Amino acid sequence: MTDAHPRTGTVRGTTVAVEETTVHRFLGIPYAGPPTGSRRFRPPVPAAPWQGVRDCTAPGPAAPQNPESPAPPGQEPRTWSEQDCLNLNIWTPGTAGTARPVMVWVHGGAYLSGSNSDVMYDGGGLAAATGTVVVTVNYRLGALGFLHLADVLGAGYEDSSNLGLLDLLEALRWVQGNIAAFGGDPGNVTLFGESAGAAAVGTLLGMPSSAGLFRRAIMQSGTAERYRSPQESARVCAEFLELCGLDRTRAGEILALPVERILEAQEQLVQRTAAVTFAVPLPFQPAAGTPSLPRPPLDAVRGGLNTGVDLLLGTNLNEGSFAVEMRPPAPGDPGYPDRAAAVLASTGGLQPGHTAGYAAALEQVLDAEPSGRQLLEAAIADSVYRQPSNRLLDARSGSEGRNFSYLFTWRSPAMGGKLGACHALDIPFVFRHVETPQAAFLTRGKAPASLSEAMSGAWASFAEAGVPRLPGLEWPEYGPLRATAILDQELRVEDDPRRELRELFAAAAH
């Protein structure tokens, strides 16, 4: 057992041995007040201080969510609570001595699911191996975190579509005020996340109130373009209220609606959304043009907001493989090429006439004619992940902070290799969990430990000093040559990988 003394009150955690190193672990610390009762659908408030010693030896609950289908391999249904979900976990090599870099993790899950206590996000291995303080954060999800009620409920609900992001800002404020008690440096905080977690990081880069709350950012398979207009968000809200059995005149009843009823309507909306998209269904997203997010994040970044933040940004080679392999066309459904055209038009912003050009560019990259599956997988990877990442790096051209790019290409042996370097495969490498049973579905026990050591070390060195260091290899800043680290069993740096595809999207945008 070990105690720490943040400003909110004394907490008691546990001491565990990880990789022959002692790590102190504090779980389920509240960083904000309960978002319930009169606080439902409202911005977070700081956690109230407590008297005595708070037991922080067990994880806190996740935010309310429906079970994932299919569930992640080895993942039990998450325990959730609307009352106590705004909590965080901390792993630290020590609570005294020289202040250590702090890495604050934002979990993914399409803004619908996930938890800071999922096994893959256990920060013990990363903290032990790199000497950093690792923090993992819960935030409100789905309708409770992103439902745009401003038009129907008025004053006090202007930012209801951005509550999940405001939760993260409150967590960062808590870290600034309290992390020194856990051995962390409040002036050296890196915010990092994957998928929706990385999208949250990218969006926070464009939120004025985030300025000064983190010094560096790492985005794994994320984008600064995952948002809606207030008008589109209002349309989604009207549809959601209808699924709750409410209309505009009765919208206020949602404030007291049982959370289970909200989750039921949420799942119905997810299924509707999934039926009309061949990429990732995202019924709930932040809204730009709101008090906390006045401009689209990419525009704000291009205008110089958070220019001093160092950024490490990348994607996996085969981000779309899960969507392709887990949802094969049924009789009568559009085939793979038609699905690819729909994704490129609806998500990638390419006109239908560009589909043939995309296929030709992909053929140049692959040096072979792509199959229908390859065409759809690449279309999802480019439209949803890779090209938005390229646009964010371009938007940061001339920034005061440094920018680094990567492409993760190690291929999973799962499903006969069909998944490739799939979405989320990078997570166990960063957190040093490639040998765990939970990672086995994707790694099959064949993940190179050297790649995990290299990635966790690069992430930590970036958090420490703003420069990711790889063994035996210089990782240049992203600039006119678009230098990109290729993360695989053999590490290398390549200028402008998959250039033909990037140029096609760039030309179509003009």
Side-chain angles (χ1 to χ4, degrees), residues 74-356:
Q75 177 70 59
E76 297 294 327
R78 300 182 181 97
T79 299
W80 57 260
S81 165
E82 187 180 10
Q83 174 80 15
D84 302 315
C85 63
L86 299 184
N87 62 75
L88 53 80
N89 303 323
I90 299 173
W91 291 264
T92 176
T95 57
T98 302
R100 300 166 176 84
V102 181
M103 302 181 70
V104 179
W105 173 256
V106 185
H107 70 74
Y111 289 141
L112 290 168
S113 63
S115 169
N116 63 356
S117 296
D118 285 358
V119 173
M120 283 294 100
Y121 310 147
D122 184 298
L126 183 58
T130 65
T132 55
V133 177
V134 180
V135 182
T136 62
V137 181
N138 278 343
Y139 56 100
R140 279 174 281 184
L141 304 168
L144 292 166
F146 299 95
L147 186 63
H148 188 72
L149 292 166
D151 298 334
V152 292
L153 294 186
Y157 299 92
E158 297 91 343
D159 259 328
S160 63
S161 50
N162 299 330
L163 295 176
L165 301 175
L166 296 178
D167 291 341
L168 294 172
L169 291 177
E170 190 61 39
L172 287 168
R173 294 186 191 100
W174 189 96
V175 166
Q176 274 206 340
N178 294 279
I179 203 64
F182 300 88
D185 181 355
N188 192 10
V189 173
T190 295
L191 187 63
F192 73 131
E194 186 268 346
S195 194
V201 175
T203 308
L204 289 175
L205 283 171
M207 294 182 74
S209 54
S210 74
L213 289 178
F214 53 95
R215 187 171 180 179
R216 301 186 175 92
I218 302 174
M219 295 170 57
Q220 301 171 216
S221 306
T223 163
E225 300 176 26
R226 203 166 284 182
Y227 68 92
R228 288 196 176 99
S229 68
Q231 294 76 21
E232 180 63 12
S233 298
R235 184 198 64 75
V236 173
C237 177
E239 186 176 0
F240 183 79
L241 289 174
E242 177 188 348
L243 291 170
C244 290
L246 305 173
D247 59 22
R248 186 182 184 92
T249 64
R250 299 173 56 204
E253 295 179 27
I254 198 171
L255 301 178
L257 206 64
V259 67
E260 292 79 7
R261 182 70 188 90
I262 290 175
L263 291 177
E264 181 183 346
Q266 185 171 296
E267 182 59 23
Q268 290 175 298
L269 186 58
V270 169
Q271 294 305 320
R272 282 188 185 182
T273 307
V276 296
T277 181
F278 301 115
V280 182
L282 296 168
F284 297 101
Q285 300 181 47
T290 48
S292 64
L293 189 60
R295 303 172 64 189
L298 199 64
D299 291 349
V301 168
R302 191 177 287 116
L305 184 60
N306 280 313
T307 182
V309 170
D310 298 320
L311 178 64
L312 171 58
L313 170 63
T315 65
N316 297 353
L317 180 62
N318 305 112
E319 298 277 9
S321 59
F322 272 121
V324 174
E325 298 302 329
M326 301 304 182
R327 192 182 168 191
D333 284 353
Y336 290 116
D338 289 339
R339 287 184 171 195
V343 168
L344 291 168
S346 64
T347 308
L350 298 186
Q351 297 301 315
H354 286 103
T355 306

Side-chain angles (χ1 to χ4, degrees), residues 357-368:
Y358 181 82
L362 184 60
E363 183 173 351
Q364 284 185 276
V365 169
L366 300 177
D367 199 23

Side-chain angles (χ1 to χ4, degrees), residues 415-488:
M415 298 178 64
K418 289 181 179 180
L419 295 178
C422 59
H423 189 64
L425 181 58
D426 51 315
I427 295 173
F429 285 84
V430 170
F431 278 89
R432 303 176 70 91
H433 291 319
V434 291
E435 300 298 330
T436 63
Q438 290 77 14
F441 169 73
L442 292 177
T443 63
R444 292 294 195 267
K446 298 180 180 179
S450 60
L451 179 57
S452 178
E453 292 166 3
M455 289 180 65
S456 61
W459 267 228
S461 61
F462 177 78
E464 180 182 18
V467 178
R469 293 190 294 269
L470 291 171
L473 184 68
E474 181 184 356
W475 187 340
E477 290 185 46
Y478 186 89
L481 296 180
R482 303 178 186 274
T484 300
I486 307 300
L487 303 179
D488 208 325

